[in-house]
Amino acid sequence: MTTPQHYPDSLLFIDGQWRSGAAGRVLPVLNPFDESTLGSVAHAEPADLDDALTAAQRGFALWRRESAQQRAALLHRAAELWRSRTAEAARVMTLEQGKPLAQAQGEVLAAADIIDWFAEEARRTYGRIVPARAESVRQLVLKEPVGPVAAFTPWNFPVNQAVRKIAAALAAGCSIVLKGPEETPASCALLVQAFHDAGLPPGVLGLVFGTPAMISQHLIAHPVIRKVSFTGSIPVGKQLAALAGQHMKRVTMELGGHAPVIVCADADLERAAKLLCVAKFRNAGQICIAPTRFLIHASVYDAFVAAFVSETERLSVGNGLSAATDVGPLANARRLADIEALVADAREHGARLLSGGTRTASQGYGYAPTVLGDVPLTARIMNEEPFGPVALLNRYTLLNEALAEANRLPFGLAAYAYTRSASVIAALSRGIESGMLSVNHHGLSLPELPFGGIKESGYGTEGGAEALESYLTTKLVSEYSEPVTE
C-alpha cells in the first residue's frame, strides 16, 4: 500500500514554545518499512539545553505551588485531549516506529489511562503525623516534589515510556525536561503538545532531541536537575547511574531484560502457545519484558513446539499501516544487523531453526518471526538480550533446573510461567529473581501496577502507587509550642 506522505517535522519544546536548535541542525527520520525519509527532527545544542534548564527551574517554582487538585484537573484534561487525537498519533507512530497500527492505537490509549491514573495519585501524596513523646511537640512528615527532572526515553514505545515519566513528575509537582527518541520523535512531540494544549504553564515540561551522550552529560550534571529517570539498555543505564551518583542525584532505572518463561508439564499448552506467541512477537519483539528464553518441560516439549511454531507461522509481516499486518519491521538498521548476527551465531553453536530466520524483504528492516530450538547456553543469544522477534525454546526436567536457568543471567525484569499447580506457583513466586512475574496470562504494564526490575535490570518502579515516591522527598518538621496555661 502507499504510505501517506504527511509526517510532521519535530522541533524542540522549550519554555512553552516549539523552536529549532540554536545551530539549525536537523537529523533525518526514516520509515523502517521502506527506509524512505519521513522528515526531520531538530538537534539541540548546549545553549538549547541551558534554556530548557532555566525554564524548568522557573516552571518548578510555579508548578510546585499548584494544589494537588489543580494538577489532577490539568492531567485529566491532557488525557482527554490525547484520547481525541488517537488516530493521528497512532498513524505517526506506525510511520516512524513500524509497529502495526492497532498496536500503536493501543499504546496511545494506554498512555491516556496512565495520565488519568497519575492524576488521581496526585491527590494521594500523603504525609503523616508521628505521635510525639512530649505534649507540646508536633511531629509532621511532609511529602514535597523533588525538583526538576531529567528523563530519557527510548524508541520502542515512544509514547508510553515518555508518558510514565511525564505524568508521574507532573502529578508530584515536579517540572521535567524530556530527552526524546531521535528515531521516533513525532509521536512523542504530539504527546507533549497535548499537555501544552491542556494548559500546562511554560517551563514545566520541555522536550529536546540530539546527541544522547552530550544531552545526558549536560542535563544530569547540571545543578538544576534533582532527579534522573532513564529507560533503555543496561550499559547506558550504568553509565548514567554512575554520572548521577557523582552528583548525588536520585535515579530510576528501567533497563533491559531477557525474560524467562517456564511451561510446566500440566500447562494448558494451546492457551500458552497462543498467548506467548502474541507477547513474544508484539512490536517485533522489541520489548524489554518480552518472553524470550522458553523453558519447557521435556514431557510436553514436542507438543508445545508444534503449537507455538504453528501460531508463529500464522503471523503476517509487513507494513504496519496495513490491517493485515501482525508484525511490523524492526525499528532501525542496527536492530536488523544485531538479530541476523545473533541468529547466525546460535545456529553455528547448534541451535535448530524451527521457523523464520530470514529478512522478509530486500528493502526496509523486516525480519520474520523466528523460533530456535535446543539453543546451547554457549550461544550469544542465550546470554545477550536479543530485543527482536526471536524465541528460544529449550527443555527442562526438574523445576529446580528451570529456576536455575531462569535466574542464571544478571537480568531480573520480568518472568512468566504456565502451570495449573498452586504449589508450583508458590515455588515460582518465591524462587524467581525478577521484579515482575506473570502466571498463566500476561498482566504486566497496567498503570496501577508496579513496573520495574532488580539486579542489572535496574531499580525503582514506574507504575502503581510506588512510582510517585521517587518524585517526592520526605521532610520532617518537629514543632514545639508553649503549653497553654489557664
Side-chain angles (χ1 to χ4, degrees), residues 146-400:
V146 67
V149 176
F152 304 85
T153 59
W155 46 260
N156 61 327
F157 287 93
V159 165
N160 271 9
Q161 299 289 6
V163 78
R164 286 181 180 272
K165 303 177 193 306
I166 294 171
L170 298 184
C174 300
S175 60
I176 178 170
V177 179
L178 177 70
K179 204 293 285 183
E182 290 75 26
E183 289 167 310
T184 56
S187 49
C188 187
L190 289 172
L191 174 68
V192 169
Q193 183 68 49
F195 283 98
H196 176 65
D197 292 345
L200 193 66
V204 181
L205 171 60
L207 176 64
V208 297
F209 304 98
T211 303
M214 184 276 287
I215 293 175
S216 60
Q217 290 171 9
H218 196 103
L219 294 183
I220 293 174
H222 200 282
V224 163
I225 295 300
R226 304 299 296 273
K227 175 193 161 51
V228 177
S229 181
F230 172 77
T231 299
S233 72
I234 290 173
V236 175
K238 288 180 176 180
Q239 292 175 13
L240 299 192
L243 179 58
Q246 292 176 21
H247 301 277
M248 297 302 293
K249 304 289 176 74
R250 185 181 300 195
V251 296
T252 299
M253 291 281 154
E254 197 270 283
L255 308 179
H258 202 320
V261 51
I262 298 175
V263 180
C264 298
D266 65 344
D268 182 335
L269 298 184
E270 182 179 354
R271 172 182 170 83
K274 287 182 178 179
L275 293 183
L276 286 165
C277 182
V278 171
K280 171 66 255 182
F281 298 116
R282 183 169 68 95
N283 201 26
Q286 299 166 124
I287 306 176
C288 57
I289 60 171
T292 300
R293 292 180 294 142
F294 289 59
L295 307 169
I296 305 151
H297 194 274
S299 65
V300 295
Y301 180 84
D302 291 338
F304 178 83
V305 166
F308 188 81
V309 169
S310 177
E311 292 292 332
T312 300
E313 293 181 345
R314 290 193 181 101
L315 298 173
S316 172
V317 183
N319 190 339
L321 292 175
S322 170
T325 295
D326 300 305
V327 180
L330 292 163
N332 52 59
R334 300 188 312 278
R335 295 286 356 109
L336 181 59
D338 286 349
I339 291 299
E340 288 184 316
L342 287 169
V343 170
D345 175 81
R347 297 185 69 182
E348 288 171 5
H349 279 80
R352 293 189 300 125
L353 180 64
L354 303 176
S355 185
T358 61
R359 294 190 183 197
T360 58
S362 60
Q363 200 173 24
Y365 311 130
Y367 194 84
T370 297
V371 184
L372 297 175
D374 300 317
V375 189
L377 298 185
T378 53
R380 285 176 53 206
I381 201 167
M382 287 298 294
N383 301 282
E384 303 172 22
E385 181 184 21
F387 213 65
V390 185
L392 313 172
L393 276 56
N394 284 327
R395 322 162 192 258
Y396 78 91
T397 302
L398 301 175
L399 185 61
N400 284 343

